[in-house]
Amino acid sequence: MTGAPDLIRSSYIFTSESVSEGHPDKVADRISDTVVDAFLSQEPQARVACETMVTTNRIMLAGEVRAGRPGASPAENKKMTKDLIATLEPKVRQAVKDIGYEQKGFHWAKAKYACYLHAQSGDIAQGVDSNDKKDEGAGDQGIMFGFACDETPALMPATLQYSHDILRRLAEVRHSGECAVLEPDAKSQVTLRYENGQPVEVLQIVVSTQHKKRIGLQTATSKRLAAEIRPYVEAVFPAGLLTKKTVWHVNPTGRFLIGGPDGDAGLTGRKIIVDTYGGAAPHGGGAFSGKDPTKVDRSAAYACRYLAKNVVAAGLAKRCTIQISYAIGVAQPLSFYVDLHDTGEIDPAKLETALPQLIGGATPRAIREHLQLNRAIYARTAAYGHFGRQPDNEGGFSWERTDLVGELKGLA
């Protein structure tokens, strides 16, 4: 579990990092969530736990899936699952193509593909599935956290939000061809100085990005590349945060030609701090990508973010952390905890009673139904963070809505 800085201090320095959609681990996350979407688009109650590994011209899937509905016969479920698994390869290759990998060491059309997905354990299924005697249970035990703060309009930690924004902007100009020298793999890092809990100055910026071997970038790489990308990076920050003292580190090691899965193997679920709050809040340890919404590692973490964001949006606190816990096969959460970090306008105990009831008691089923999570909305979450995004018309990022603000204001 990752902890946050001492937020009672009036002045401190904090750093967060992000990685691009072309980072090897994010390629794996994108593929795993493409599998989730493929199953949910055919059967909203499908079960998916997909792990992906990518390396030099290799893509391998493993895990447990069930395409059929709860209550269907084993033979029906087996056939539906087998048939759907057989359709995955072109979808996986398209996901890699969309990222932009057409390199000698990792190419969307040429990489060898292997799929070892198999049927979900019946022991797990019987604990999760609902029946006449019990509600749907949690897919696993564990603790999940949600967080929000008033540092940015998205109510996210500023260090992480700007790190994401840098890489999202570089991806945009790479895809459009405006900055044709860029390749998909990249990382960013932003260090801010805080006064009274608010960011006041960018101290350090780190950007490492894979690039093509052209325009002399094989020599004096960092200087030439910095000139290419700096205008895009500068545009990300609000006026006044960048200063003449801001230190820039662009490709500090020099040349970055070999990247992506050819440079470093990637695995699903290895960027959980990038996915959440950049280290500014606790993390329960469970990854999101590759999991259908019966897995509370994903759905309950989304619900906690949703509730925490609404608390801050309602003006009840400047910062809010929520923890929830579950036991496998049990519907009701075991605990629900609210921390307002001494910034609250309401008793946290009052929120601990009220917040779960706003989402049907915070059972796995209630969370899925309230946030409408049984849809093919997950591939879009695989890069640039699961939080701090805009809800879209297809139901993606529904946990970023602030539709509870009116009810919450009534509690104060």
Side-chain angles (χ1 to χ4, degrees), residues 163-312:
S163 295
H164 285 326
D165 290 347
I166 288 170
L167 295 181
R168 188 184 294 110
R169 180 58 181 146
L170 293 182
E172 289 171 354
V173 298
R174 173 176 63 85
H175 283 298
S176 71
E178 182 177 334
C179 190
V181 73
L182 298 178
E183 291 279 28
D185 194 1
K187 301 179 77 172
S188 65
Q189 190 167 285
V190 174
T191 299
L192 297 178
R193 180 172 66 85
Y194 285 77
E195 293 290 347
N196 298 317
Q198 293 297 312
V200 296
E201 181 183 6
V202 181
L203 297 181
Q204 310 266 352
I205 297 173
V206 183
V207 180
S208 294
T209 180
Q210 187 185 19
H211 56 82
K212 291 182 170 67
K213 188 177 181 180
R214 55 179 296 187
I215 63 168
L217 285 174
Q218 64 270 30
T219 59
T221 300
S222 298
K223 185 176 181 180
R224 296 290 299 276
L225 191 61
E228 289 276 341
I229 70 170
R230 185 161 174 162
Y232 303 117
V233 177
E234 289 177 339
V236 161
F237 292 95
L241 280 185
L242 289 172
T243 72
K244 293 180 180 180
K245 295 181 180 180
T246 301
V247 179
W248 291 70
H249 307 272
V250 177
N251 281 24
T253 63
R255 188 172 63 177
F256 186 0
L257 292 174
I258 301 172
D262 187 31
D264 190 13
L267 297 170
T268 301
R270 285 206 302 195
K271 288 293 178 284
I272 59 176
I273 300 302
V274 170
D275 285 345
T276 53
Y277 306 105
H283 195 299
F288 301 157
S289 290
K291 298 176 181 178
D292 74 77
T294 67
K295 278 71 171 176
V296 285
D297 278 344
R298 181 168 222 161
S299 57
Y302 288 176
C304 287
R305 161 64 181 174
Y306 172 61
L307 295 174
K309 183 176 184 181
N310 275 271
V311 167
V312 175

Side-chain angles (χ1 to χ4, degrees), residues 35 38-39 42 47-48 50 61-67 77-92 113-120:
V35 172
F39 273 75
Q42 296 299 313
R47 302 283 192 263
V48 183
C50 176
L61 277 58
E64 301 78 44
V65 293
R66 185 183 72 190
N77 281 337
K78 183 176 181 180
K79 183 179 186 308
M80 290 179 66
T81 300
K82 183 178 179 180
D83 290 347
L84 191 45
I85 288 174
T87 71
L88 292 177
E89 182 175 351
K91 296 180 174 66
V92 168
Y113 170 86
C115 181
Y116 301 101
L117 293 170
H118 59 84
Q120 182 189 46

Side-chain angles (χ1 to χ4, degrees), residues 23-73:
H23 184 281
D25 295 329
K26 284 286 131 196
V27 175
D29 284 345
R30 172 68 175 272
I31 291 170
S32 291
D33 276 336
T34 295
V35 172
V36 174
D37 283 354
F39 273 75
L40 293 179
S41 66
Q42 296 299 313
E43 175 46 65
Q45 297 188 64
R47 302 283 192 263
V48 183
C50 176
E51 310 294 342
T52 301
M53 185 189 80
V54 290
T55 186
T56 302
N57 275 328
R58 297 286 191 282
I59 301 170
M60 185 177 76
L61 277 58
E64 301 78 44
V65 293
R66 185 183 72 190
R69 294 177 178 273
S73 72

